[in-house]
Amino acid sequence: MTAVRIGVFGLLGCGNLGNDGSLEAVLGYLRAEHPDAVVDALCGGPEEVTARFGIPATRLHWYAGEYRTASRTDAIAAKGLGKLVDAVRTAAWVRRHDVVIVPGMGVLEATLPLRPWGFPYSLFLLCASGRLLRTRVALVSVGAAEIGNPPTRALVRWSARLATYRSYRDAHSRDAMRAMGVDTARDKVYSDLAFALPTPGTGAPSGSPGPVCVGVMDFHGSNDDRARADEIHRRYLDGMTRFVRTLVGEGREVRLLTGDTCDAPVVTSILDAVDSPLVTAAEPSSLADLMKEMAAADTVVATRYHNLICALKAGTPTLALSYAAKSDALMDRMGLGAYCHPAREVDADRLLEQFRALEERSADLRQTLAERNLAAARQLEEQFTELTAVLFPTTDHEQAHALQEAP
């Protein structure tokens, strides 16, 4: 029987821990349920993906300077040429596969600054190539949000329409695609793929106040906030610095965490401003590293979506600095909907009030999280079962036929 050829696609290996964690979850499923499958990637950081996950990988873009702002004429011309070359490269890569999986990630949203000719264009090339070449393309437990920018909206809408299979990580995402003109009648909602990753052991809270993990982000607002991006960032950084300084003044240990390599300057700014041995910074290289840090904390305050997931999965009471509806939906789903604070308008005094209210209910919330985590894990078991049925029907039929023919 010919091995199934599976491709994984996305901004993987680029320093975003959430994206790589989603890939890790899908590879775990494939290795467990389809161990004979031949897997490779078309991604942003092929060297990192190959080194960490042991699969061959090809660079997503022909032009090496794709994510640098082009100002010179030659750079603009090279970038434009790259778009044409990428159309051919993507189609050639898709042709070599039976199935292509886009593992989670917010691929159908623009909640952070995004240009239409960047990843939205790449995703459209993938899905259009899949439809033309009859390669099944699956958007698995992805995030989505309504998009205002017309070109980006059109590319995302057509990408979703052309995909063979779609599932979402929350109901808000499915509702957003429906509002953008996609028929979602058969689309299901599951949990984020990161909930399928192993959970570290959690230590029992000590009698005295323990460490607080603070997950920060290089936050400048969304696509719609470009005009006031600097103002939003300054207010976010000032609010987080004041919050950390207050905790340190009360004798609390604070552990600063990131979720992407671009967040490092925010950590440096807070360390310089607070200047206390009670504040330290971790250097996580995976979601597993993040979960270990958060499992050892009494409480977590975090911004990035997958920082929140790691904290909640670790069973640690969490306060979200929410920058998009996906964060609010996640917190509500996990029973902590009351503990959200707007990342665009950080008010350190109000944040401290919410933090203290959260800590007062710590024991009850830990029990709630244990129950909700079990439910999330069961949902992802259902997701992977459905994925096998939809994407690998020929394989299952051949296996069943082989069993019938066996003596």
Side-chain angles (χ1 to χ4, degrees):
M1 183 171 62
T2 304
V4 179
R5 299 164 300 173
I6 302 173
V8 290
F9 177 94
L11 294 178
L12 309 163
C14 300
N16 185 288
L17 302 186
N19 291 0
D20 291 354
S22 298
L23 172 60
E24 182 181 352
V26 165
L27 291 178
Y29 149 71
L30 292 174
R31 287 164 178 164
E33 301 298 327
H34 304 279
D36 296 327
V38 177
V39 183
D40 73 307
L42 184 63
C43 60
E47 298 85 1
E48 174 66 20
V49 166
T50 297
R52 181 175 171 193
F53 299 107
I55 60 173
T58 302
R59 185 170 298 281
L60 181 59
H61 301 291
W62 171 79
Y63 178 53
E66 173 63 29
Y67 294 109
R68 293 195 296 267
T69 300
S71 55
R72 299 199 325 267
T73 302
D74 58 341
I76 294 172
K79 207 168 204 180
L81 176 61
K83 299 304 176 186
L84 298 177
V85 175
D86 285 345
V88 177
R89 292 175 70 252
T90 301
W93 182 80
V94 169
R95 186 190 292 274
R96 299 197 299 269
H97 298 85
D98 301 300
V99 175
V100 174
I101 295 175
V102 180
M105 305 177 285
V107 296
L108 302 177
E109 64 181 46
T111 52
L112 297 175
L114 184 70
R115 299 294 189 187
W117 54 83
F119 186 76
Y121 174 73
S122 299
L123 184 65
F124 171 75
L125 291 181
L126 171 76
C127 296
S129 297
R131 180 61 65 92
L132 289 171
L133 301 170
R134 298 186 178 182
T135 295
R136 296 184 290 277
V137 174
L139 310 181
V140 181
S141 287
V142 297
E146 277 200 73
I147 297 170
N149 178 270
T152 305
R153 182 184 179 96
L155 287 168
V156 166
R157 180 174 62 242
W158 275 106
S159 296
R161 286 175 172 173
L162 292 169
T164 308
Y165 172 87
R166 297 179 299 269
S167 65
Y168 305 97
R169 62 190 180 190
D170 52 52
H172 168 81
S173 294
R174 183 172 61 183
D175 292 345
M177 294 314 298
R178 184 185 300 120
M180 288 171 60
V182 177
D183 181 1
T184 61
R186 295 185 178 183
D187 299 355
K188 295 184 179 179
V189 173
Y190 295 102
S191 297
D192 189 274
L193 289 170
F195 282 103
L197 296 174
T199 305
T202 56
S206 60
S208 58
V212 179
C213 281
V214 177
V216 298
M217 179 178 179
D218 184 28
F219 181 63
H220 296 262
S222 70
N223 251 7
D224 298 332
D225 298 320
R226 287 182 181 273
R228 50 191 291 258
D230 290 343
E231 173 196 341
I232 289 172
H233 180 68
R234 185 167 52 253
R235 180 164 184 173
Y236 173 82
L237 182 57
D238 289 348
M240 295 306 294
T241 300
R242 185 179 166 197
F243 175 73
V244 170
R245 185 180 288 119
T246 301
L247 292 181
V248 168
E250 296 173 354
R252 300 293 292 269
E253 294 180 28
V254 176
R255 187 77 160 155
L256 298 177
L257 302 173
T258 60
D260 194 299
T261 51
C262 69
D263 301 330
V266 178
V267 170
T268 301
S269 295
I270 294 175
L271 288 173
D272 290 345
V274 178
D275 191 23
S276 167
L278 290 175
V279 186
T280 57
E283 296 183 359
S285 61
S286 67
L287 293 191
D289 290 344
L290 278 175
M291 281 190 270
K292 288 176 184 175
E293 294 280 354
M294 292 168 166
D298 272 9
T299 312
V300 173
V301 178
T303 311
R304 279 198 179 274
Y305 182 75
H306 278 92
N307 274 23
L308 294 174
I309 287 181
C310 286
L312 297 168
K313 185 168 170 55
T316 304
T318 303
L319 200 165
L321 283 149
S322 175
Y323 62 87
K326 62 183 178 182
S327 301
D328 297 333
L330 171 66
M331 294 293 284
D332 187 62
R333 193 172 188 174
M334 297 301 288
L336 280 79
Y339 302 101
C340 294
H341 189 94
R344 284 174 181 77
E345 300 176 352
V346 177
D347 180 330
D349 291 333
R350 173 60 182 150
L351 186 61
L352 284 161
E353 289 177 11
Q354 291 178 287
F355 173 79
R356 286 167 182 143
L358 177 72
E359 290 211 312
E360 287 177 3
R361 293 196 57 214
S362 179
D364 291 341
L365 293 175
R366 285 179 180 273
Q367 179 59 39
T368 298
L369 287 174
E371 296 167 359
R372 301 296 173 94
N373 276 313
L374 286 174
R378 284 195 295 267
Q379 277 198 334
L380 285 173
E381 289 176 3
E382 295 172 6
Q383 163 71 101
F384 292 140
T385 298
E386 181 185 53
L387 204 57
T388 291
V390 172
L391 297 183
F392 307 100
T394 302
T395 302
D396 292 345
H397 174 76
E398 290 176 353
Q399 290 175 342
H401 181 72
L403 289 173
Q404 290 174 358
E405 295 293 323

